[in-house]
Amino acid sequence: MWLRVVSVIFLQCCVLKNVWSETYHGKYIGEFSTKTHGVKGTVYAANKDTFFIKGFSYDGEGPDAFFWAGSTSTPSEDGFIVPDENETKNVLGRYNNKDIWIKLPNGKTIKDLKWLSVWCREFKVNFGSLNIPGNLELPSAKVIEPLSTFAHGVNSDPIVIKDEKTMYIPNLQYDGAGPDVYFLVGTGTKPQSVGSTKVPDEKGRTGVLHGYQSQDITLSLPGSLTVHDIDWFSLYCIQYEENFGHVIIPKDLNVPVHRG
């Protein structure tokens, strides 16, 4: 009985780990419908004008095939070429389960479209396509709460999550008197130094923080860390294990994917 309970707990932990470790690709749109030539892939809106296609496949045998998009009710010759992942308008070659980014040209946005297709211009054939819902909520910057104030005058205006790695903190205030204070992020219900990660300041430094007098700053999460990996952001004194002020990071933020 005990071994069975342990096994169940282990399996549950594995499932949760897989859920938590799933990479964020943007707003899910759907799957390519396969008409011919093995077209398939999962499509996301990475931001307002860029698609991320996970696991894209196409046999490359069409004589005049391109990524093709338009605003008619169904895929048709009344569309335009979307440059490939190399930003060229060359005829598409073979793809085998490849992850790619493609960006719309000429200031167009995903909201302008009703479909994305792999289309052969010569024979006017749709090899595979995806319908884009009219009510699709595109990734965008999100405004969250300001920093709470617990010590040393820490305060700010509402914080903006500009994309999955970038935080804009307007009107930041901190008196600079803490002996061992850093920008920290981490998981859990409240800030603590154990298991946390230091975030470089607005100049890319990870030293002890200086004071801020109503400054607007932009911070970038280090390494592969994103807002989807953290629960809180804090000005934290490690020496005295004291939280000077923090903000909770909401879950499931539909923000743009960061491309470094």
Side-chain angles (χ1 to χ4, degrees):
M1 179 64 179
W2 172 249
L3 287 176
R4 182 180 298 175
V5 172
V6 170
S7 297
V8 170
I9 293 173
F10 176 76
L11 289 173
Q12 289 176 334
C13 289
C14 289
V15 170
L16 287 172
K17 183 177 180 182
N18 287 335
V19 171
W20 290 335
S21 61
E22 184 177 351
T23 302
Y24 176 73
H25 300 301
K27 184 68 173 180
Y28 173 78
I29 301 176
E31 308 287 330
F32 269 117
S33 63
T34 304
K35 307 295 184 183
T36 186
H37 289 288
V39 170
K40 64 179 181 179
T42 304
V43 184
Y44 300 81
N47 57 44
K48 67 179 182 179
D49 63 3
T50 303
F51 293 102
F52 175 75
I53 308 176
K54 184 170 180 58
F56 179 63
S57 294
Y58 160 58
D59 66 12
E61 295 182 3
D64 193 33
F66 302 87
F67 291 117
W68 190 256
S71 57
T72 53
S73 57
T74 59
S76 70
E77 59 185 309
D78 186 13
F80 60 89
I81 294 175
V82 180
D84 63 21
E85 73 278 14
N86 297 315
E87 300 182 358
T88 74
K89 294 184 177 181
N90 298 332
V91 172
L92 295 180
R94 184 173 183 271
Y95 292 82
N96 183 20
N97 197 36
K98 186 176 181 180
D99 296 346
I100 61 173
W101 306 73
I102 58 174
K103 182 176 180 178
L104 297 174
N106 304 323
K108 296 181 184 295
T109 73
I110 294 172
K111 278 291 189 183
D112 299 326
L113 308 177
K114 289 188 177 179
W115 47 265
L116 175 70
S117 169
V118 177
W119 178 268
C120 180
R121 290 190 306 183
E122 181 175 341
F123 292 102
K124 300 179 183 179
V125 175
N126 173 26
F127 292 169
S129 61
L130 169 85
N131 293 327
I132 299 172
N135 62 352
L136 180 69
E137 182 186 351
L138 293 178
S140 62
K142 297 294 187 293
V143 179
I144 63 173
E145 296 293 321
L147 285 165
S148 58
T149 304
F150 292 130
H152 291 280
V154 168
N155 201 349
S156 76
D157 288 345
I159 292 171
V160 181
I161 307 298
K162 299 180 73 171
D163 61 39
E164 62 177 341
K165 291 186 68 67
T166 309
M167 302 174 62
Y168 172 68
I169 307 176
N171 196 28
L172 176 61
Q173 300 175 55
Y174 162 54
D175 67 11
D180 194 32
V181 179
Y182 304 87
F183 294 126
L184 292 190
V185 293
T187 58
T189 57
K190 62 181 181 179
Q192 59 179 353
S193 62
V194 177
S196 66
T197 300
K198 291 179 181 178
V199 177
D201 66 16
E202 70 279 8
K203 296 182 179 179
R205 304 173 302 198
T206 54
V208 174
L209 293 180
H210 58 80
Y212 291 90
Q213 288 78 43
S214 299
Q215 290 177 245
D216 300 339
I217 67 169
T218 299
L219 304 179
S220 296
L221 296 176
S224 61
L225 201 65
T226 75
V227 292
H228 306 288
D229 304 316
I230 61 177
D231 293 322
W232 49 263
F233 167 82
S234 172
L235 276 75
Y236 196 92
C237 181
I238 294 177
Q239 180 176 339
Y240 290 103
E241 293 292 340
E242 185 177 0
N243 172 27
F244 289 177
H246 76 282
V247 65
I248 298 297
I249 307 297
K251 295 299 181 185
D252 302 320
L253 285 168
N254 181 24
V255 294
V257 176
H258 180 85
R259 295 188 67 186

